[in-house]
Amino acid sequence: MGLAFAKYHGLGNDFILLDNRDRPEPIVSPAEAVQLCDRHFGIGADGVIFVLPGQNGADYTMRIFNSDGSEPEMCGNGIRCFAKYVASLEGLENTEKAYQVHTLAGMIGPTLRADGQVTVDMGYPILDAEQVPTTLAPAGDKAIARSLSVAGHDWSVTAVSMGNPHCITFVEDVAAIDLSAIGPQFEHHPAFPQRTNTEFVEVVRPDYLKMRVWERGAGITLACGTGACATLVAAVLNGRSDRSATVELPGGPLQIGWEMISNRVHMTGPATFVFNGVWG
Ligand code: ZDP
């Protein structure tokens, strides 16, 4: 029979999109998602994204499984791909359109723009250590520039949740970081009870940051939208950047802004259709 899917990427962070609009539960299991994401024995992707019926007044619900089968609350690059995919399911390509999407991190609002970019209202950053969650600061405090010992070295880290947890470290030279060696040690550090996405950031200018990411449940990826948002928030909290900046990822740049009055984070970037296929 086969499972119809579409493949999309956001700056090389790639996803298998499934039309799950007729059922409230994902049509593939976490174990099947691991198989689909396998780059040698499967389709190959960083995650599987489901377009489910809306809840709480939303147009749709988005759920995602990482390539290891775990389920994150949110996915910034994924939601841009999600918006393009639902527009194509609705036969509305190349139109400006705003969606309200229910996620495990609350309501998220992607808007398709005339130039093909997608702007996403990512909501509020969560800074209370207990809610990130991290033990790096007491409940009610922010974990900004706290010391974390990893691989025999003390790192000054800032913890931010964009619905999913992120640990941000500012370094002189992002290229010099041995990400595959230390990334897993950050991800599984006991200071992060839900594990963590891990970002290393070089401040090139106050409006231009360079970031490399080790993702929880997915490892090294070319881009991470929630990670780029968490990076900008951490840079502002540490007095290292403007409230609006370009965050350059290995797969390309995202524009991120953190509004002073509304406290909301906005992200603008591309989402690219790759191909349609049938699995099995
Ligand atoms: O929080 C997590 O477990 C992440 N691996 C989820 C995926 C995040 C993503 N890369 C993004 O762009 O935000 C999709």
Side-chain angles (χ1 to χ4, degrees), residues 240-254:
R240 291 173 182 263
S241 84
D242 302 339
R243 296 190 78 99
S244 172
T246 300
V247 180
E248 183 195 307
L249 305 143
L254 290 171

Side-chain angles (χ1 to χ4, degrees), residues 144-167:
I144 302 172
R146 301 281 168 150
S147 178
L148 183 74
S149 175
V150 173
H153 187 87
D154 281 338
W155 308 79
S156 172
V157 308
T158 297
V160 173
S161 167
M162 289 304 307
N164 54 353
H166 294 270
C167 173

Side-chain angles (χ1 to χ4, degrees), residues 93-276:
E93 271 137 315
N94 306 321
T95 23
E96 291 194 40
K97 174 126 202 232
Y99 291 98
Q100 288 295 313
V101 181
H102 177 76
T103 73
L104 294 178
M107 199 72 95
I108 305 286
T111 301
L112 297 173
R113 299 178 0 169
D115 63 2
Q117 299 265 104
V118 185
T119 295
V120 185
D121 178 346
M122 299 283 284
Y124 312 126
I126 297 161
L127 304 176
D128 179 346
E130 189 181 28
Q131 289 182 50
V132 168
T134 179
T135 58
L136 283 173
D141 279 6
K142 301 181 176 78
I144 302 172
R146 301 281 168 150
S147 178
L148 183 74
S149 175
V150 173
H153 187 87
D154 281 338
W155 308 79
S156 172
V157 308
T158 297
V160 173
S161 167
M162 289 304 307
N164 54 353
H166 294 270
C167 173
I168 298 97
T169 306
F170 295 96
V171 295
E172 288 294 311
D173 177 9
V174 271
I177 295 292
D178 188 353
L179 203 50
S180 53
I182 61 172
Q185 299 185 48
F186 277 80
E187 177 184 358
H188 296 280
H189 195 286
F192 299 100
Q194 299 292 327
R195 302 191 283 152
T196 190
N197 297 287
T198 302
E199 286 83 15
F200 293 93
V201 183
E202 180 180 327
V203 179
V204 180
R205 294 191 308 269
D207 66 349
Y208 199 97
L209 314 175
K210 243 191 211 181
M211 184 267 263
R212 289 174 68 207
V213 59
W214 174 271
E215 277 191 36
R216 176 181 69 168
I220 292 176
T221 60
L222 294 176
C224 178
T226 51
C229 294
T231 291
L232 186 273
V233 169
V236 171
L237 293 172
N238 282 277
R240 291 173 182 263
S241 84
D242 302 339
R243 296 190 78 99
S244 172
T246 300
V247 180
E248 183 195 307
L249 305 143
L254 290 171
Q255 304 301 323
I256 312 292
W258 183 20
E259 285 172 24
M260 180 111 65
I261 310 267
S262 70
N263 188 31
R264 304 182 86 85
V265 180
H266 286 92
M267 166 189 69
T268 298
T272 309
F273 170 70
V274 189
F275 61 90
N276 285 314

Side-chain angles (χ1 to χ4, degrees), residues 30-148:
E32 288 165 336
V34 173
Q35 291 185 309
L36 295 174
C37 289
D38 190 291
R39 296 197 184 277
H40 302 288
F41 296 94
I43 300 161
D46 293 324
V48 178
I49 292 177
F50 304 87
V51 180
L52 302 147
Q55 297 172 32
N56 303 346
D59 300 308
Y60 297 101
T61 297
M62 175 175 85
R63 285 180 62 184
I64 167 173
F65 293 153
N66 284 319
S67 54
D68 75 349
S70 61
E71 180 170 15
E73 303 80 354
M74 233 305 269
C75 174
N77 286 318
I79 197 137
R80 297 199 313 279
C81 296
F82 182 101
K84 281 249 165 117
Y85 179 58
V86 295
S88 89
L89 292 176
E90 293 173 350
L92 290 176
E93 271 137 315
N94 306 321
T95 23
E96 291 194 40
K97 174 126 202 232
Y99 291 98
Q100 288 295 313
V101 181
H102 177 76
T103 73
L104 294 178
M107 199 72 95
I108 305 286
T111 301
L112 297 173
R113 299 178 0 169
D115 63 2
Q117 299 265 104
V118 185
T119 295
V120 185
D121 178 346
M122 299 283 284
Y124 312 126
I126 297 161
L127 304 176
D128 179 346
E130 189 181 28
Q131 289 182 50
V132 168
T134 179
T135 58
L136 283 173
D141 279 6
K142 301 181 176 78
I144 302 172
R146 301 281 168 150
S147 178
L148 183 74

